[in-house]
């Protein structure tokens, strides 16, 4: 496969254009092709050891969006106006421990590794989880999986901006109540997954009132 060449200026322009959209234009909707493209980018995102410890729920139902509204404290306007609203879930410890059924399935059925490779790979993962990163609690395991899911989030935001779609990542929600709702109303197995973030996609109602501001690049980089 030939390496794609995209100009640096075009990439910088995409990042300058992208912003956390406060309100979306309700008259404009993403096409099925566009939302599927964004979700495919999530699917192709990298993750530690290639675990892919994520699941994405596209909330299409107006009733389920309405059920989410009381617990989305940080972004009710995004929830109300976005064309598409996605929940980013991360796997919990029962799915990601080195000896889990999920990992055996991933290595054997998805990656199709030979038995000898699987045994060696699981040994490396065990060493990483128990000694390198010391993921010795369920919360640490979930937080580690969430870090991988955020890679997919970042890629979705960028890919969306590259095709002119606006977005807003959201952490402003009551996590415990949200997960109860996901179990009771969405029918999700919350023993296996936890909610890491939400993200809205659509088209901005208006442009930002101020230009994008960032710290000076010299203040965030150390060369040695």
């Amino acid at each position: 496969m030939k390496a794609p060449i995209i100009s640096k200026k075009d990439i910088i322009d995409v990042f300058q254009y992208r912003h956390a959209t406060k309100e979306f234009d309700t008259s404009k909707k993403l096409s099925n092709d566009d939302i599927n493209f964004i979700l495919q980018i999530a699917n192709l995102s990298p993750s530690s050891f290639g675990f892919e410890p994520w699941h994405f729920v596209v909330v299409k139902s107006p009733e389920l969006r309405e059920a989410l509204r009381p617990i989305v404290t940080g972004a009710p306007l995004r929830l109300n106006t976005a064309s598409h609203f996605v929940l980013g879930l991360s796997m919990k410890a029962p799915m990601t421990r080195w000896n889990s059924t999920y990992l055996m399935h991933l290595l054997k059925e998805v990656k199709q590794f030979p038995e000898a490779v699987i045994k060696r790979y699981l040994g490396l993962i065990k060493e990483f989880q128990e000694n390198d990163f010391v993921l010795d609690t369920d919360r640490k395991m979930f937080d580690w999986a969430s870090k991988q899911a955020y890679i997919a989030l970042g890629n979705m935001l960028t890919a969306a901006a590259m095709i002119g779609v606006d977005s807003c990542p959201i952490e402003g929600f009551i996590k415990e109540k949200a997960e109860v709702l996901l179990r009771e109303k969405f029918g999700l197995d919350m023993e296996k997954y936890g909610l890491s973030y939400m993200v809205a996609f659509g088209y901005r109602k208006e442009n930002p009132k101020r230009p994008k501001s960032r710290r000076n690049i010299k203040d965030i980089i150390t060369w040695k």
Side-chain angles (χ1 to χ4, degrees):
M1 181 181 293
K2 185 178 179 181
I5 303 299
I6 304 170
S7 77
K8 298 181 183 70
K9 181 182 183 305
D10 284 347
I11 295 171
I12 291 295
D13 285 348
V14 165
F15 277 83
Q16 290 285 6
Y17 175 81
R18 192 215 65 78
H19 80 117
T21 302
K22 305 299 183 290
E23 183 177 2
F24 297 93
D25 185 341
T26 56
S27 70
K28 297 179 180 178
K29 302 295 181 184
L30 272 70
S31 67
N32 289 335
D33 184 64
D34 283 349
I35 189 61
N36 286 330
F37 163 75
I38 292 167
L39 294 169
Q40 185 179 11
I41 294 301
N43 181 237
L44 290 171
S45 292
S47 58
S48 184
F49 289 100
F51 271 25
E52 303 174 45
W54 45 56
H55 188 82
F56 304 96
V57 179
V58 184
V59 188
K60 297 172 66 178
S61 162
E63 292 78 17
L64 291 178
R65 281 207 195 188
E66 184 62 27
L68 282 169
R69 214 150 61 89
I71 56 93
V72 183
T73 57
L77 195 56
R78 283 85 155 183
L79 179 61
N80 292 346
T81 62
S83 169
H84 287 70
F85 202 80
V86 178
L87 311 180
L89 278 62
S90 302
M91 291 180 180
K92 291 184 176 180
M95 299 279 279
T96 53
R97 288 282 178 207
W98 68 272
N99 56 353
S100 71
T101 301
Y102 165 74
L103 284 188
M104 182 57 72
H105 163 76
L106 181 72
L107 298 178
K108 187 174 183 178
E109 306 299 333
V110 179
K111 298 186 180 299
Q112 299 186 347
F113 287 169
E115 291 294 334
V117 174
I118 291 174
K119 183 178 180 180
R120 184 167 66 251
Y121 206 71
L122 290 177
L124 291 172
I125 296 169
K126 183 175 186 289
E127 177 70 16
F128 170 81
Q129 291 182 347
E130 295 183 354
N131 298 315
D132 296 348
F133 264 46
V134 195
L135 304 176
D136 54 359
T137 67
D138 287 356
R139 180 54 192 257
K140 287 182 181 180
M141 286 293 293
F142 175 73
D143 287 348
W144 174 76
S146 285
K147 291 177 182 178
Q148 315 313 312
Y150 271 81
I151 297 172
L153 171 63
N155 287 340
M156 285 192 287
L157 300 179
T158 300
M162 292 179 77
I163 60 171
V165 172
D166 292 301
S167 61
C168 184
I170 299 162
E171 288 184 316
F173 54 85
I174 306 169
K175 182 175 169 63
E176 184 176 350
K177 289 184 178 180
E179 293 185 347
V180 170
L181 185 68
L182 293 181
R183 181 176 65 251
E184 295 180 352
K185 295 284 189 181
F186 287 67
L188 298 175
D189 188 346
M190 303 312 291
E191 297 299 316
K192 294 181 177 179
Y193 295 96
L195 180 61
S196 293
Y197 54 78
M198 303 175 179
V199 54
F201 295 102
Y203 297 94
R204 65 187 68 181
K205 187 174 182 180
E206 57 184 29
N207 286 318
K209 292 181 172 59
R210 297 188 303 164
K212 182 169 288 187
S213 60
R214 289 293 188 270
R215 288 189 292 157
N216 191 298
I217 196 168
K218 295 178 181 179
D219 295 334
I220 67 168
I221 297 172
T222 298
W223 297 84
K224 292 290 188 181

